[in-house]
Amino acid sequence: MAETVGFIGLGIMGKPMARHLANAGYDVVIHTLNRETISTFTAESNKFIAASTPKDVAERAKTVITMLPDSPQVREVALGENGLIEAMGEGSLHIDMSTIAPATAIEVSTALAGVGAHALDAPVSGGEAGAVNAALSIMVGGAESDVERAMPLFEKMGKTIVHVGASGAGQVVKACNQVMVAVNYAAMSEALILGAKAGVDPEKILQVLGGGLANSRVMELKGQNAISGKFAPGFRVDLHRKDLNIAMNAGKTTGVPLPVTALVQQFFEALTVAGRGDLDHSSLITIYEDLAHYRIGQDLEA
Ligand code: NAD
């Protein structure tokens, strides 16, 4: 009989991740806020089974993955009314793959342990392309035996899977990841606006910088977005802004000043204030364009 797994949160990332599990032969019990998405999935394959609440998912699946926007949604789905905790017990495993505060990951894991269930924090990097190509990097916090149990699932969705420490450690590493990505975007944006306003074709800047030490995954995957003014998400500005807040809080509680991150965080705040929170995070370049009174791409497009 096919193994059953629960999946809650079918957004940009959750959709392809859940599809990989179904394609690998799992029966996938699904729940998300958008009813139309549920209907699309159940019409697409009989491997998808609709559930009405997180509790309903946990009643039908011993292992439940969540891929939700932020800490409040994970807390609500795991611990709220009709949450996972109402149906989880001995032998249950919650794998949260969302990006949330490390403290919330520990809170959820501790609460679930109170009913005999286990939890992993397993946030991901690699973006929508990584999710679609089952090539995500997955940074996992929790007990070794739970990581071993979850590994066959992780291998269907990701390529680089590293057990980084105890509960909460996965989210700490994801905060490190988001710091590096945001600062990379800022560096690329700053360089491109300098070259383009000085009169150089930005395509040529990308081409030649791509062959030297300045090259980065950010430039390879999102350089074209940055210079074209086409910013369909991808990864929404509002989600990256949330992640930088998580990183700044982690810096505060750990006693680590993050001065460069603090500056870039303010640029993300400015994007949201400018009404660009739903654009892809490559739209960070538009703040530099505003500052330089110079636009490389065409009008902003979502
Ligand atoms: P998204 O907004 O596209 O999807 C979130 C999904 O959660 C939606 O389908 C929504 O219906 C569902 N949801 C929200 N509240 C819910 C609730 N209470 N009950 C059930 N379902 C609920 O977001 P996304 O881009 O897929 O990102 C998901 C997580 O992954 C976020 O934490 C994000 O930071 C992280 N992440 C995203 C990317 C990316 O490139 N998009 C990359 C790495 C990590």
Side-chain angles (χ1 to χ4, degrees):
M1 211 178 82
E3 213 179 310
T4 304
V5 61
F7 204 108
I8 302 176
L10 298 172
I12 288 176
M13 298 294 282
K15 281 180 189 168
M17 291 163 73
R19 284 190 171 114
H20 290 313
L21 297 177
N23 290 339
Y26 290 93
D27 287 327
V28 187
V29 182
I30 50 172
H31 173 66
T32 198
L33 289 187
N34 186 335
R35 301 303 305 167
E36 265 176 44
T37 304
I38 302 273
S39 311
T40 307
F41 271 60
T42 49
E44 188 177 296
S45 161
N46 61 8
K47 301 302 276 177
F48 291 114
I49 303 136
S52 53
T53 63
K55 178 183 177 187
D56 190 15
V57 175
E59 269 164 0
R60 301 194 222 178
K62 281 285 187 193
T63 302
V64 180
I65 296 172
T66 49
M67 194 54 172
L68 299 161
D70 197 357
S71 303
Q73 291 81 21
V74 173
R75 193 184 286 114
E76 183 195 328
V77 162
L79 310 180
E81 199 184 336
N82 285 316
L84 298 175
I85 197 164
E86 293 186 12
M88 281 193 159
E90 292 293 338
S92 300
L93 176 65
H94 173 215
I95 307 170
D96 180 39
M97 303 190 77
S98 331
T99 305
I100 65 168
T104 308
I106 294 168
E107 177 192 334
V108 167
S109 156
T110 307
L112 288 175
V115 297
H118 294 222
L120 294 172
D121 47 299
V124 306
S125 174
E128 187 184 13
V132 169
N133 298 323
L136 293 167
S137 276
I138 308 177
M139 35 219 110
V140 194
E144 181 71 44
S145 54
D146 294 328
V147 179
E148 272 169 29
R149 172 173 162 186
M151 197 53 85
L153 295 168
F154 290 149
E155 284 169 350
K156 305 294 178 298
M157 299 180 280
K159 278 212 175 109
T160 307
I161 303 144
V162 181
H163 182 200
V164 293
S167 177
Q171 295 297 352
V172 170
V173 176
K174 176 66 187 182
C176 301
N177 183 83
Q178 293 307 77
V179 164
M180 288 197 66
V181 174
V183 172
N184 246 285
Y185 268 114
M188 177 178 78
S189 303
E190 208 161 298
L192 283 172
I193 198 75
L194 171 64
K197 194 174 176 185
V200 183
D201 179 353
E203 288 275 4
K204 295 202 165 140
I205 302 175
L206 287 178
Q207 191 187 343
V208 70
L209 265 54
L213 193 55
N215 192 28
S216 67
R217 292 284 286 162
V218 162
M219 197 164 80
E220 281 172 14
L221 295 176
K222 295 298 182 91
Q224 283 300 327
N225 288 59
I227 64 173
S228 69
K230 290 192 169 58
F231 299 119
F235 187 54
R236 287 187 292 116
V237 162
D238 277 340
L239 288 178
H240 207 147
R241 188 170 60 93
K242 170 229 8 163
D243 295 350
L244 293 179
N245 288 333
I246 291 171
M248 291 308 298
N249 283 333
K252 235 176 255 169
T253 53
T254 316
V256 177
L258 303 170
V260 180
T261 308
L263 176 65
V264 180
Q265 180 204 27
Q266 289 303 304
F267 289 152
F268 274 89
E269 295 291 338
L271 278 173
T272 299
V273 171
R276 300 171 203 161
D278 282 329
L279 299 184
D280 188 70
H281 55 168
S282 50
S283 66
L284 181 66
I285 195 167
T286 64
I287 292 298
Y288 285 90
E289 291 178 325
D290 294 348
L291 291 172
H293 293 283
Y294 181 82
R295 204 159 283 290
I296 300 175
Q298 303 303 308
D299 288 343
L300 301 188
E301 277 179 36

Coordinates of all heavy atoms in Angstrom, one line a residue, residues 8-14 31-34 54 67-70 73 76-77 97-100 124-128 174 234-236 239 242-243, ligand 1:
I8 N 0.5 20.8 3.8 CA -0.4 21.9 4.1 C 0.4 23.2 3.6 O 1.5 23.5 4.0 CB -0.7 22.1 5.6 CG1 -1.4 20.8 6.1 CG2 -1.5 23.3 5.9 CD1 -1.7 20.8 7.6
G9 N -0.3 24.0 2.7 CA 0.3 25.2 2.2 C 0.7 25.0 0.8 O 1.9 24.7 0.5
L10 N -0.2 25.2 -0.2 CA 0.1 24.9 -1.6 C 0.2 26.3 -2.3 O -0.7 26.7 -3.0 CB -1.0 24.1 -2.2 CG -1.1 22.7 -1.6 CD1 -2.4 22.0 -2.2 CD2 0.1 21.8 -1.8
G11 N 1.3 27.0 -2.0 CA 1.6 28.2 -2.7 C 2.7 28.0 -3.8 O 2.8 26.9 -4.3
I12 N 3.4 29.1 -4.0 CA 4.5 29.0 -5.1 C 5.4 27.8 -4.9 O 5.7 27.1 -5.8 CB 5.2 30.3 -5.1 CG1 4.4 31.5 -5.7 CG2 6.5 30.2 -5.9 CD1 5.0 32.8 -5.7
M13 N 5.8 27.6 -3.6 CA 6.7 26.5 -3.3 C 6.0 25.2 -3.1 O 6.5 24.1 -3.5 CB 7.6 26.9 -2.1 CG 8.4 28.1 -2.2 SD 9.7 27.9 -3.4 CE 10.9 27.0 -2.5
G14 N 4.9 25.2 -2.3 CA 4.3 24.0 -1.9 C 3.7 23.2 -3.0 O 3.7 22.0 -3.0
H31 N -4.1 20.3 2.2 CA -4.9 21.4 2.8 C -4.2 22.7 2.5 O -3.0 22.8 2.7 CB -5.2 21.2 4.3 CG -5.9 22.4 4.9 ND1 -7.2 22.7 4.6 CD2 -5.4 23.3 5.8 CE1 -7.5 23.7 5.3 NE2 -6.5 24.1 6.0
T32 N -5.0 23.7 2.0 CA -4.5 25.1 1.9 C -5.7 26.0 1.9 O -6.8 25.6 1.9 CB -3.7 25.2 0.5 OG1 -2.8 26.3 0.5 CG2 -4.6 25.2 -0.7
L33 N -5.4 27.3 2.0 CA -6.6 28.2 2.2 C -7.4 28.3 0.9 O -8.6 28.5 1.0 CB -6.1 29.6 2.6 CG -5.5 29.8 4.0 CD1 -5.2 31.2 4.3 CD2 -6.5 29.2 5.0
N34 N -6.8 28.2 -0.3 CA -7.5 28.4 -1.5 C -8.1 27.1 -2.0 O -7.5 26.2 -2.4 CB -6.4 28.9 -2.6 CG -7.1 29.3 -3.9 OD1 -8.1 28.8 -4.2 ND2 -6.4 30.1 -4.6
P54 N -6.2 21.2 9.3 CA -4.9 20.6 9.6 C -5.1 19.3 10.5 O -4.5 18.3 10.3 CB -4.1 21.7 10.4 CG -4.7 22.9 9.9 CD -6.1 22.7 9.6
M67 N 4.2 24.2 4.5 CA 4.9 25.1 3.7 C 4.1 26.4 3.6 O 3.4 26.7 2.7 CB 5.2 24.6 2.3 CG 6.2 25.3 1.5 SD 7.8 25.5 2.4 CE 8.9 26.1 1.2
L68 N 4.2 27.2 4.7 CA 3.3 28.3 5.0 C 4.1 29.6 5.0 O 5.3 29.6 5.1 CB 2.6 28.1 6.4 CG 1.7 26.8 6.4 CD1 1.5 26.4 7.9 CD2 0.4 27.0 5.7
P69 N 3.4 30.8 5.0 CA 4.2 32.0 4.9 C 5.1 32.4 6.0 O 6.2 32.7 5.8 CB 3.1 33.1 4.7 CG 1.8 32.4 4.2 CD 2.0 31.0 4.8
D70 N 4.6 32.3 7.3 CA 5.3 32.9 8.4 C 5.0 32.2 9.7 O 4.1 31.3 9.8 CB 5.0 34.4 8.4 CG 5.9 35.2 9.2 OD1 6.9 34.7 9.8 OD2 5.7 36.5 9.3
Q73 N 1.2 31.7 10.9 CA 0.4 30.6 10.2 C 0.9 29.2 10.7 O 0.1 28.3 10.8 CB 0.6 30.8 8.7 CG 0.0 32.0 8.1 CD 0.8 33.2 8.2 OE1 2.0 33.2 8.4 NE2 0.2 34.4 8.1
E76 N -0.6 28.6 14.1 CA -2.0 28.3 14.0 C -2.3 26.9 13.5 O -3.1 26.2 14.0 CB -2.6 29.4 13.1 CG -4.2 29.3 13.0 CD -4.7 30.1 11.8 OE1 -4.1 31.1 11.5 OE2 -5.7 29.6 11.2
V77 N -1.6 26.6 12.4 CA -1.8 25.3 11.8 C -1.4 24.1 12.7 O -2.0 23.1 12.8 CB -1.1 25.2 10.4 CG1 -0.9 23.8 9.9 CG2 -1.8 26.0 9.4
M97 N 8.6 23.2 6.6 CA 9.6 23.6 5.6 C 9.5 25.1 5.3 O 10.2 25.6 4.4 CB 9.5 22.7 4.4 CG 9.6 21.3 4.7 SD 9.8 20.1 3.3 CE 11.5 20.4 2.8
S98 N 8.6 25.8 6.0 CA 8.4 27.3 5.8 C 9.7 27.9 6.4 O 10.4 27.3 7.2 CB 7.2 27.8 6.6 OG 6.2 26.8 6.7
T99 N 9.8 29.2 6.2 CA 10.9 30.0 6.8 C 10.2 30.8 7.9 O 9.3 31.7 7.7 CB 11.5 31.0 5.9 OG1 12.0 30.3 4.7 CG2 12.6 31.8 6.5
I100 N 10.5 30.5 9.2 CA 9.9 31.1 10.3 C 11.0 31.4 11.4 O 12.1 31.1 11.2 CB 8.8 30.3 11.0 CG1 9.3 29.0 11.6 CG2 7.7 30.0 9.9 CD1 8.3 28.2 12.4
V124 N 14.0 25.8 3.3 CA 14.7 25.5 2.1 C 15.2 26.7 1.4 O 14.8 27.8 1.7 CB 13.6 24.8 1.1 CG1 13.0 23.6 1.7 CG2 12.6 25.8 0.6
S125 N 16.2 26.5 0.5 CA 16.7 27.5 -0.3 C 16.7 27.0 -1.8 O 16.9 25.8 -2.0 CB 18.1 28.0 0.1 OG 18.6 28.9 -0.7
G126 N 16.7 27.9 -2.7 CA 16.7 27.4 -4.1 C 15.6 28.1 -4.9 O 15.6 28.0 -6.2
G127 N 14.6 28.7 -4.2 CA 13.6 29.4 -4.9 C 12.6 28.5 -5.6 O 12.6 27.3 -5.5
E128 N 11.7 29.2 -6.4 CA 10.7 28.4 -7.2 C 11.4 27.4 -8.1 O 10.9 26.3 -8.2 CB 9.8 29.4 -7.9 CG 8.6 28.8 -8.6 CD 7.8 29.7 -9.4 OE1 8.3 30.8 -9.7 OE2 6.7 29.4 -9.8
K174 N 18.8 29.1 7.9 CA 18.0 29.8 6.8 C 18.1 31.3 6.9 O 18.2 32.1 6.0 CB 16.5 29.4 6.9 CG 15.6 30.1 5.9 CD 15.9 29.8 4.4 CE 15.0 30.6 3.5 NZ 15.2 30.4 2.1
G234 N 8.1 33.9 -8.4 CA 9.4 34.0 -7.6 C 9.1 34.1 -6.1 O 8.3 33.5 -5.5
F235 N 10.0 34.9 -5.6 CA 10.0 35.1 -4.1 C 9.6 36.5 -3.8 O 10.3 37.4 -4.3 CB 11.4 34.8 -3.6 CG 11.5 34.8 -2.1 CD1 10.7 34.0 -1.3 CD2 12.4 35.5 -1.4 CE1 10.7 34.0 0.1 CE2 12.5 35.6 0.0 CZ 11.7 34.8 0.7
R236 N 8.5 36.6 -3.1 CA 7.9 38.0 -2.9 C 8.8 38.8 -2.0 O 9.3 38.3 -1.0 CB 6.5 37.9 -2.4 CG 5.5 37.4 -3.5 CD 4.1 37.4 -3.0 NE 3.8 36.5 -2.0 CZ 3.4 36.8 -0.7 NH1 3.3 38.0 -0.3 NH2 3.1 35.8 0.1
L239 N 8.0 38.5 1.7 CA 8.5 37.3 2.4 C 10.0 37.5 2.7 O 10.4 37.1 3.8 CB 8.3 36.0 1.5 CG 6.9 35.5 1.4 CD1 6.8 34.3 0.5 CD2 6.3 35.1 2.8
K242 N 10.2 39.7 5.7 CA 9.9 38.9 6.9 C 11.2 38.2 7.3 O 11.5 38.2 8.5 CB 8.8 38.0 6.5 CG 8.6 36.9 7.6 CD 8.5 35.5 7.1 CE 8.7 35.0 5.8 NZ 9.0 33.5 5.6
D243 N 11.9 37.6 6.4 CA 13.1 36.8 6.7 C 14.2 37.7 7.2 O 15.0 37.3 8.1 CB 13.6 36.1 5.4 CG 12.6 35.1 5.0 OD1 11.6 34.8 5.7 OD2 12.8 34.5 3.9
Ligands
NAD1 P1 2.9 31.6 -0.8 O1 2.4 32.8 -0.2 O2 2.9 31.4 -2.3 O3 2.2 30.2 -0.3 C1 1.8 30.1 1.0 C2 0.6 29.1 1.1 O4 0.2 28.9 2.4 C3 -0.6 29.6 0.3 O5 -1.0 28.6 -0.6 C4 -1.7 29.8 1.4 O6 -3.0 29.4 0.9 C5 -1.2 28.8 2.4 N1 -1.7 29.2 3.8 C6 -1.5 30.4 4.4 N2 -2.1 30.4 5.6 C7 -2.6 29.1 5.8 C8 -3.4 28.5 6.8 N3 -3.6 29.1 7.9 N4 -3.8 27.2 6.6 C9 -3.5 26.6 5.4 N5 -2.8 27.1 4.4 C10 -2.4 28.4 4.6 O7 4.4 31.4 -0.3 P2 5.7 30.6 -0.9 O8 6.4 31.5 -1.8 O9 5.2 29.3 -1.3 O10 6.6 30.4 0.4 C11 6.2 29.5 1.5 C12 7.4 29.5 2.5 O11 8.6 29.2 1.9 C13 7.6 30.9 3.1 O12 7.9 30.8 4.5 C14 8.8 31.5 2.3 O13 9.5 32.4 3.1 C15 9.6 30.2 2.1 N6 10.4 30.2 0.9 C16 9.9 30.7 -0.3 C17 10.7 30.7 -1.5 C18 10.3 31.2 -2.8 O14 11.1 31.4 -3.7 N7 9.0 31.5 -3.0 C19 12.0 30.1 -1.4 C20 12.5 29.6 -0.1 C21 11.6 29.6 1.0

